[in-house]
Amino acid sequence: YLVLDGAHPDQVDKALEGFGFAMGPHRVGDLAGLDIGYMTRKRREATRPAEERYSGAIADRLSENEWNGRKTAKGYFVYEGRETLENPDLNAIIDEERAKAGITPRDFSDEEIVDRYMTAMISEAARVVEDGIALRPMDVDVVFLMGYGFPSYRGGPLHYADTIGAAELVKRIEAYAQEDAHYWQVPALLRKMAEDGSSFADLNKGK
């Protein structure tokens, strides 16, 4: 969504690498292979809600050109040996997909990129706890720290969420929902925490 709305993949990656991730999401996609995501999106196409903004159009175009990342030496970036270079054909694809979607691109600061990315991650992590998929917030944090390269000094997404505060996170989500009410919905757990002043650290106690 950030790229469709005006950010560039390289800017998104650099903002998140500045936050502490070893690689941004577009470099990770290129490393894993963009065809994997493409096939997943196609399998889910028939059941995609009508009100959902489709965010995969740019990545689809790359895969349809057989530009699947490092394995084909071209994806969001171009790979020559150990060098990662700009894909000279990417901007035209982004412009075309924005035009198809009727989007007038706007500028995003690196801070906005990190805030939106992390708020989305925290929202989904909160739902994992809320639904009982994870017993405690710290279980989610350990998985992210040990398996997904989350910056260790930030303690995991839900530990990091406590440094922001539930009330501020709810405020952010409600503001973002003015643009996209389907995607941005406040998790019930996060709303309760904002109301009673509790934290994810509190939920780790005694379990």
Side-chain angles (χ1 to χ4, degrees):
Y1 291 146
L2 282 162
V3 172
L4 277 174
D5 289 342
H8 191 275
D10 187 53
Q11 184 197 5
V12 173
D13 281 11
K14 285 177 178 174
L16 291 163
E17 289 160 11
F19 178 79
F21 286 97
M23 297 175 71
H26 300 97
R27 285 176 173 80
V28 170
D30 275 0
L31 181 63
L34 298 178
D35 50 325
I36 297 170
Y38 179 79
M39 290 184 288
T40 300
R41 289 189 297 276
K42 291 304 173 184
R43 282 198 303 271
R44 295 176 175 173
E45 199 166 37
T47 58
R48 187 180 303 124
E51 62 271 27
E52 179 182 316
R53 288 182 67 200
Y54 185 55
S55 62
I58 294 166
D60 288 351
R61 290 278 302 278
L62 296 175
S63 282
E64 286 160 4
N65 285 333
E66 298 186 356
W67 301 338
N68 287 313
R70 284 186 176 273
K71 67 175 75 176
T72 59
K74 190 173 185 179
Y76 284 103
F77 303 92
V78 170
Y79 301 92
E80 295 182 2
R82 295 188 177 185
E83 283 193 272
T84 300
L85 307 172
E86 179 183 340
N87 178 347
D89 302 306
L90 177 61
N91 289 347
I93 290 173
I94 292 172
D95 289 344
E96 287 167 13
E97 292 305 323
R98 286 172 180 162
K100 285 181 189 176
I103 294 169
T104 301
R106 70 177 185 86
D107 291 334
F108 288 90
S109 68
D110 289 357
E111 182 180 9
E112 282 182 282
I113 289 169
V114 171
D115 285 353
R116 283 176 178 254
Y117 191 90
M118 288 309 306
T119 301
M121 183 182 288
I122 290 163
S123 294
E124 290 306 309
R127 291 187 181 97
V128 168
V129 176
E130 182 181 297
D131 293 344
I133 297 168
L135 179 62
R136 303 162 296 189
M138 70 170 64
D139 298 326
V140 177
D141 286 343
V142 167
V143 168
F144 271 88
L145 290 167
M146 304 303 292
Y148 288 94
F150 194 91
S152 59
Y153 66 94
R154 297 195 186 274
L158 296 181
H159 178 83
Y160 177 68
D162 281 347
T163 70
I164 300 169
E168 172 60 24
L169 288 163
V170 169
K171 182 180 175 183
R172 282 186 193 177
I173 295 168
E174 289 177 340
Y176 300 155
Q178 300 301 309
E179 305 167 10
D180 184 352
H182 175 76
Y183 183 79
W184 293 105
Q185 299 182 39
V186 179
L189 175 60
L190 198 60
R191 191 176 295 282
K192 177 181 178 298
M193 290 168 55
E195 290 170 353
D196 65 21
S198 59
S199 66
F200 287 109
D202 294 329
L203 297 178
N204 285 324
K205 297 173 183 176
K207 292 186 180 181

